[in-house]
Amino acid sequence: MTAEQQIALLPMMVVTATSVVVMMFAAFVSNHRLLNCLSLLGLFVALLSLLLAVKVAPIQVTPLILIDRFALFYSGLVLTAGAVVILLSYDYFQSSEERTIRVAEYYILLMVAILGGMVLVSSSHFAAFFIGLELLGVSLYVLVAYLAPIRLGRLTSLEAGVKYLILSGVASALLLFGIALLYAEFGTLSFIELGRHWQNAEVLNGLFAAAGIGLLLAGVAFKLSLVPFHMWTPDVYEGAPAPSTAFVATVSKGAIFAFLLRFFATTGAFENQMICYALALVAIASMLGGNLLALLQTNVKRILAYSSIAHIGYLLVAFLAASTGKVEIDLVSEAISFYLVAYFVTTLGAFAVICVLSNNDGQRDVDQLTDYQGLFWRAPWLASILTAMLLSLAGIPLTVGFIGKFYVFTMGVEGLLWWLLAALIAGSAIGLYYYLRWIVQMFMQPELQRDSSTEGSVAISLPGYFALLVLAVSLFWLGVYPPPLIGLIQTITSL
């Protein structure tokens, strides 16, 4: 391996080394604060090493991994989201009930999951894709069920972990079978080689090729929790610890969507109309189904689960614009990248508030709508941040979510995708209702609290303050003045 290839792989090597260092420290020192700081320091060094890797990109590191600016941008996004989750995890696992739990394994698994996400966004070969997917998935099975052994009165974590394990195993089997069929048809697992075969449209009409692509997309749709492969999502979101849920909602889905974009752009799958029609149906079903099902929920983590299904459906609108031949793939990549940044900021912000409130409770996740009744009168600025996050998810102006949705809408108009746009508008209108219902709960004044001031009764630690402040500033800054981020994305996310 050359020096340039080693520099390109440096961010992944730093994350791997961090997991080993945390493991070694945990063997001798059982100090939660130290392990949390070591994990944060490792991700910070990995983020700095991206600057070195940019100088040698693009570079093919073995036939499996392609380190280009697209991969480095998404690696940075994964690392940043991972750092926010680690910040939120400290108080969550330090709270009264979880004080006795060993947390070293949690941080090690988080590092492995982050590494899996980085491999996914850099993969140029099905072997690397599957390695990244399993690194991410196997870690998430445990992270989802992490609190089950100590929360004896609440077995939803264990149920969520087992459900995610079984259904994710089925999805992995579908993916493997689909990859095997594609290999049987074309004799290669390289995306570039597949693209050369697929330049002949008739090749995709073969039985093995059609079945292979169908199974591959079904497996990816499960990982993205698109309708009709979404059934696991609300149960896993509800049962998992709040920081783990934030990780599943952002890093897991963002990394897989980045892989999907690279795969389609490299192989030329956008030119296959049959695949694109199928994805269009899935997008419409996800936008409408996700939003309609969220209307029935009273658990805020389930609301965010169904909301995430709808948001991935919105992303597919921009994604499918590339299949019309009217929009350049680089413009589609730009829109998707911006939307994913907006989705990461707002989703992490919403889960950050849930984590902070759950830290104060110490017994359970504060995840019922009624738990938020009168939050504004107890913690005004916390309620204000959550309100801003929900308005951003709804796509209200002056927030980053509005710019992201405007990007997606523009791609749909440029691509003349009128049916998808109609579903996007209808879904957004439905979504506005359940976001507002949550906001109204926060501003309702409970009878018992009208005569007694309990303002400021929600205690927030320094890591919690820092995470909330960064996310809130990012939400408004990118919503009011997005050109710097758009310029950065235009520079580094071309495929």
Side-chain angles (χ1 to χ4, degrees):
M1 185 177 288
T2 66
E4 287 79 10
Q5 289 173 327
Q6 292 179 20
I7 293 172
L9 280 181
L10 194 55
M12 292 187 197
M13 289 193 283
V14 170
V15 174
T16 306
T18 304
S19 66
V20 174
V21 169
V22 171
M23 191 186 307
M24 292 179 66
F25 267 87
F28 300 101
V29 183
S30 180
N31 185 309
H32 185 189
R33 186 187 295 273
L34 175 66
L35 298 178
N36 185 277
C37 290
L38 278 175
S39 304
L40 272 177
L41 180 64
L43 293 191
F44 182 68
V45 174
L47 276 168
L48 289 180
S49 66
L50 289 174
L51 300 176
L52 294 175
V54 167
K55 294 180 180 176
V56 297
I59 185 169
Q60 187 76 42
V61 185
T62 77
L64 306 183
I65 299 288
L66 173 63
I67 303 293
D68 56 5
R69 294 192 169 198
F70 177 86
L72 293 175
F73 173 80
Y74 279 99
S75 294
L77 196 58
V78 167
L79 288 168
T80 307
V84 172
V85 170
I86 288 174
L87 275 174
L88 298 175
S89 298
Y90 177 73
D91 280 334
Y92 187 87
F93 288 102
Q94 193 70 9
S95 60
S96 59
E97 190 181 13
E98 283 78 26
R99 203 178 288 278
T100 57
I101 192 172
R102 286 181 58 82
V103 291
E105 297 88 345
Y106 176 82
Y107 292 110
I108 295 167
L109 287 166
L110 211 51
M111 289 298 136
V112 175
I114 289 169
L115 179 64
M118 295 171 72
V119 173
L120 263 180
V121 301
S122 309
S123 55
S124 61
H125 191 281
F126 274 125
F129 161 66
F130 200 74
I131 291 170
L133 192 68
E134 290 306 297
L135 277 174
L136 180 63
V138 172
S139 306
L140 288 180
Y141 305 149
V142 187
L143 289 174
V144 166
Y146 201 73
L147 292 182
I150 62 167
R151 291 195 170 190
L152 297 178
R154 182 172 176 269
L155 294 177
T156 52
S157 287
L158 186 60
E159 177 190 340
V162 172
K163 188 172 287 186
Y164 191 54
L165 169 66
I166 294 173
L167 293 179
S168 194
V170 173
S172 296
L174 291 177
L175 279 168
L176 272 180
F177 194 28
I179 292 170
L181 289 176
L182 290 175
Y183 184 75
E185 181 73 26
F186 302 116
T188 180
L189 295 178
S190 164
F191 297 167
I192 295 176
E193 292 296 323
L194 280 173
R196 289 176 185 151
H197 287 291
W198 290 5
Q199 286 177 357
N200 179 7
E202 292 182 0
V203 170
L204 292 176
N205 295 327
L207 180 61
F208 280 7
I213 293 169
L215 290 171
L216 179 69
L217 290 180
V220 170
F222 172 88
K223 300 293 184 182
L224 291 172
S225 59
L226 289 164
V227 175
F229 305 97
H230 65 288
M231 303 300 286
W232 61 274
T233 314
D235 292 340
V236 169
Y237 271 50
E238 181 183 1
S244 300
T245 313
F247 191 86
V248 173
T250 53
V251 173
S252 172
K253 294 189 177 183
I256 291 171
F257 207 96
F259 153 77
L260 191 66
L261 180 59
R262 182 194 287 281
F263 177 74
F264 268 62
T266 307
T267 60
F270 282 118
E271 296 175 8
N272 187 283
Q273 293 303 307
M274 183 181 69
I275 296 174
C276 294
Y277 285 145
L279 284 177
L281 289 175
V282 168
I284 292 172
S286 299
M287 286 185 279
L288 296 179
N291 282 310
L292 285 171
L293 289 168
L295 291 176
L296 307 173
Q297 305 302 319
T298 56
N299 182 298
V300 297
K301 287 165 79 176
R302 294 180 75 89
I303 288 175
L304 290 174
Y306 285 115
S307 166
S308 76
I309 295 169
H311 279 279
I312 299 299
Y314 300 154
L315 264 177
L316 280 179
V317 177
F319 184 83
L320 289 168
S323 67
T324 62
K326 298 178 174 60
V327 185
E328 294 291 331
I329 183 65
D330 285 348
L331 196 55
V332 168
S333 174
E334 178 186 328
I336 289 174
S337 299
F338 192 95
Y339 195 92
L340 278 175
V341 171
Y343 176 73
F344 271 48
V345 169
T346 50
T347 303
L348 286 172
F351 276 107
V353 176
I354 295 174
C355 287
V356 166
L357 293 173
S358 301
N359 298 340
N360 279 263
D361 185 284
Q363 302 297 317
R364 64 180 184 88
D365 283 358
V366 178
D367 56 6
Q368 296 298 317
L369 263 182
T370 51
D371 294 330
Y372 291 81
Q373 190 171 355
L375 178 64
F376 178 78
W377 308 102
R378 291 183 286 127
W381 81 279
L382 199 59
S384 301
I385 288 178
L386 182 54
T387 299
M389 297 299 169
L390 295 176
L391 291 177
S392 182
L393 283 171
I396 301 300
L398 300 182
T399 64
V400 67
F402 170 75
I403 306 293
K405 195 165 282 187
F406 180 77
Y407 246 127
V408 168
F409 194 84
T410 304
M411 292 300 101
V413 171
E414 294 285 335
L416 306 180
L417 300 171
W418 306 120
W419 284 105
L420 287 171
L421 286 173
L424 190 154
I425 293 169
S428 299
I430 298 168
L432 190 58
Y433 171 78
Y434 58 79
Y435 292 131
L436 287 177
R437 186 173 56 143
W438 191 350
I439 292 170
V440 167
Q441 284 286 334
M442 287 189 283
F443 286 87
M444 288 176 65
Q445 193 171 19
E447 292 291 335
L448 292 177
Q449 295 183 5
R450 282 181 180 165
D451 298 329
S452 61
S453 174
T454 55
E455 186 175 327
S457 60
V458 177
I460 306 175
S461 66
L462 187 60
Y465 263 121
F466 182 72
L468 284 167
L469 184 65
V470 169
L471 292 168
V473 170
S474 301
L475 181 137
F476 287 112
W477 177 56
L478 297 176
V480 176
Y481 186 61
L485 177 61
I486 292 173
L488 176 68
I489 290 174
Q490 286 173 339
T491 305
I492 64 176
T493 60
S494 59
L495 286 162

